[in-house]
Amino acid sequence: APRPVGPQQVAMPPSRPTAGHRKVATVLAILAFACQPCDAVPSGTTEYRNVQIASQEWSPETTFGNREAVLQLGVRTNAVGSFQDIGFGFVGGELEHHPPAVIAYEQQNAGGETSGDLVFGTRTGTDGTVAATERIRIRNDGSVNVNSVRFTATSLGTNASPTIITLGGGVAAAAVTGTFAVTGDVTVATNKFVVTATNGNTAIAGTLNSAGATTLS
């Protein structure tokens, strides 16, 4: 039975949660579940499971690669061969298909605080069940792979033979390791040495010196 109301008391209806209250409670519950306490997160940052977002409103970074990245993926991941990736483009199939373009970090070393490669990939066709293919890889040593071609400092080659062509640095020169095959004409200084590809005719504008046996026909 309701309590009697005295002269100084006012009867209040029972409190009921509104739709707005329920929404706020849901958001707070999600944040409480997603936010994980961290021991070494820089001040002004928030970590959501494996993603870290830094606030640089008052102290923006002025050094490339400094400790407080605005957005960092894989904060708590340490597994060789794992990918921390960002997808781009339309994804159908109820979000179960692959993105048409991807930028990813692939971990190569689990020692210390790890190291790895930055990988860029795209998909040629429009089939969402097909994943993007690696196109460019920037390795942790600074070398770059573009499809099957590898660039390392002043050298060009492949993964199996990374120094097929070596540039001369400050000198306009290149050294070739292996067989140098040419399908067109070979010309040195316009007309000093010319080999015509169609018939093999060779023109030399200077003196021909031969240390061994020479056959001319």
Side-chain angles (χ1 to χ4, degrees):
R3 292 186 302 169
V5 179
Q8 303 300 323
Q9 293 178 317
V10 178
M12 299 294 293
S15 175
R16 296 182 179 178
T18 65
H21 292 155
R22 287 192 291 270
K23 289 181 180 179
V24 171
T26 301
V27 171
L28 291 177
I30 293 173
L31 290 177
F33 176 76
C35 295
Q36 302 295 317
C38 304
D39 296 331
V41 175
S43 65
T45 67
T46 304
E47 186 173 308
Y48 300 91
R49 288 181 174 267
N50 212 29
V51 178
Q52 178 175 293
I53 302 174
S55 172
Q56 298 183 339
E57 180 179 358
W58 303 112
S59 57
E61 295 286 4
T62 57
T63 303
F64 178 77
N66 213 335
R67 67 182 182 90
E68 192 174 313
V70 175
L71 175 64
Q72 183 168 333
L73 307 182
V75 180
R76 300 299 169 190
T77 299
N78 187 354
V80 173
S82 63
F83 288 90
Q84 307 300 322
D85 49 6
I86 303 173
F88 298 87
F90 174 76
V91 177
E94 297 181 354
L95 300 180
E96 295 179 0
H97 288 178
H98 302 283
V102 173
I103 298 176
Y105 164 79
E106 182 183 5
Q107 184 174 327
Q108 301 293 336
N109 192 324
E113 294 195 42
T114 78
S115 64
D117 303 343
L118 187 61
V119 185
F120 298 79
T122 58
R123 184 178 64 222
T124 303
T126 59
D127 186 351
T129 63
V130 177
T133 300
E134 178 181 325
R135 308 298 185 187
I136 300 175
R137 175 180 292 264
I138 303 176
R139 297 182 179 274
N140 54 16
D141 62 0
S143 61
V144 179
N145 279 42
V146 179
N147 290 326
S148 58
V149 179
R150 183 169 181 174
F151 299 83
T152 307
T154 58
S155 298
L156 287 75
T158 63
N159 285 336
S161 303
T163 57
I164 295 176
I165 298 176
T166 302
L167 305 180
V171 181
V176 178
T177 301
T179 302
F180 183 62
V182 179
T183 58
D185 296 347
V186 176
T187 303
V188 177
T190 306
N191 60 359
K192 299 301 185 290
F193 181 86
V194 179
V195 178
T196 304
T198 56
N199 52 27
N201 290 345
T202 303
I204 303 174
T207 301
L208 178 62
N209 294 324
S210 177
T214 302
T215 300
L216 300 176
S217 60

